[in-house]
Amino acid sequence: MVSRPVAHYLSKMAAQEEATQHSSDNTENIETPGFLTELVSSPLNLFLLALCIYLLYKILARDKKEESGPPRPPPLPKMKKRDFTLEEIKEYPGDEDKNEGRILIAVNGRVFDVTRGKKFYGKDGPYGAFAGRDASRALATFSLDGDALRDEYDDLSDLSAMQMESIREWEMQFEEKYDYVGKLLKPGEEPTEYSDDEQSEQSETEKKYN
């Protein structure tokens, strides 16, 4: 049995705790309206609140629009392996009404189908000037002027060793990202006749990179 002094002490402690809790609740009730009053009483705070709500609305509306947008067209089938002259790859600049909208680019004597990189190499892309062209010199010299994208076959013989190394690095990057479809033919060079086995080997190689 608890003695009278101890019971009195415990009762006093309980009363103090209850009073403290009651005081805390009252403080919260007082501070919350005060915060709201401060928020709505300041024009700057109201402006920032409205701005946050507007930005949130724009983000949600954009996400909804992207979800409800038209479906992406299916990817084009892989091209059969063949060789190209400089004039022939010009027939693949990415125009929707020509050759299924494909984009071919030559790098270091090799031709790549970069159609799936249309946002970069398409008409409105940052590297759209490369579409349907031999981009080797432009990539080596980091230039997009007329001399870098020539209308005649470019043997690149005047480039430095460092520039040729840069071209080889670009060639490797294109090979990892895009489909290799054949060689860029030199003037007078006969195209290679690729067998079905070579076509199958190309497909297996592309699967490893894709």
Side-chain angles (χ1 to χ4, degrees):
M1 183 174 181
V2 182
S3 64
R4 185 180 299 274
V6 173
H8 176 72
Y9 178 73
L10 293 176
S11 176
K12 186 176 181 181
M13 285 184 62
Q16 289 177 344
E17 289 179 0
E18 183 178 354
T20 301
Q21 182 64 35
H22 182 68
S23 175
S24 176
D25 292 341
N26 289 340
T27 301
E28 291 178 359
N29 292 335
I30 293 172
E31 289 179 353
T32 302
F35 170 75
L36 294 175
T37 301
E38 182 180 352
L39 180 64
V40 300
S41 63
S42 170
L44 177 60
N45 289 342
L46 285 175
F47 172 77
L48 293 176
L49 179 61
L51 180 62
C52 290
I53 294 174
Y54 172 75
L55 292 176
L56 180 61
Y57 166 77
K58 294 291 287 185
I59 292 172
L60 295 177
R62 182 188 61 187
D63 292 343
K64 185 176 181 180
K65 183 178 180 181
E66 290 178 353
E67 291 175 359
S68 61
R72 292 183 179 180
L76 295 172
K78 288 183 173 62
M79 295 182 68
K80 286 189 175 181
K81 195 173 182 181
R82 53 163 290 199
D83 296 339
F84 297 83
T85 65
L86 192 60
E87 289 300 318
E88 286 173 335
I89 66 171
K90 290 180 181 179
E91 296 299 313
Y92 296 86
D95 295 343
E96 295 297 336
D97 59 346
K98 182 183 293 186
N99 292 317
E100 302 177 295
R102 291 186 188 271
I103 304 173
L104 298 186
I105 293 177
V107 181
N108 199 25
R110 307 181 75 198
V111 181
F112 297 92
D113 182 353
V114 301
T115 307
R116 63 171 172 263
K118 200 164 190 172
K119 64 181 179 179
F120 297 107
Y121 302 105
K123 182 178 179 181
D124 299 323
Y127 307 109
F130 293 166
R133 308 297 295 268
D134 179 5
S136 304
R137 181 176 294 273
L139 293 171
T141 59
F142 302 99
S143 173
L144 291 176
D145 61 25
D147 186 59
L149 296 168
R150 300 182 176 182
D151 292 325
E152 299 81 24
Y153 181 83
D154 188 357
D155 62 9
L156 309 174
S157 58
D158 61 321
L159 296 183
S160 67
M162 184 177 296
Q163 288 172 328
M164 289 302 302
E165 181 63 27
S166 177
I167 292 177
R168 283 188 285 270
E169 291 176 359
W170 277 108
E171 178 189 352
M172 291 173 61
Q173 291 187 38
F174 273 77
E175 188 171 17
E176 290 178 1
K177 286 185 174 182
Y178 303 111
D179 299 334
Y180 165 64
V181 295
K183 296 187 303 181
L184 178 64
L185 296 171
K186 301 175 183 178
E189 184 180 5
E190 293 295 324
T192 304
E193 294 291 337
Y194 295 101
S195 65
D196 292 339
D197 290 340
E198 287 174 304
Q199 297 284 0
S200 300
E201 182 180 349
Q202 176 196 11
S203 298
E204 291 300 322
T205 302
E206 288 166 351
K207 286 179 182 178
K208 293 179 181 179
Y209 288 112
N210 296 332

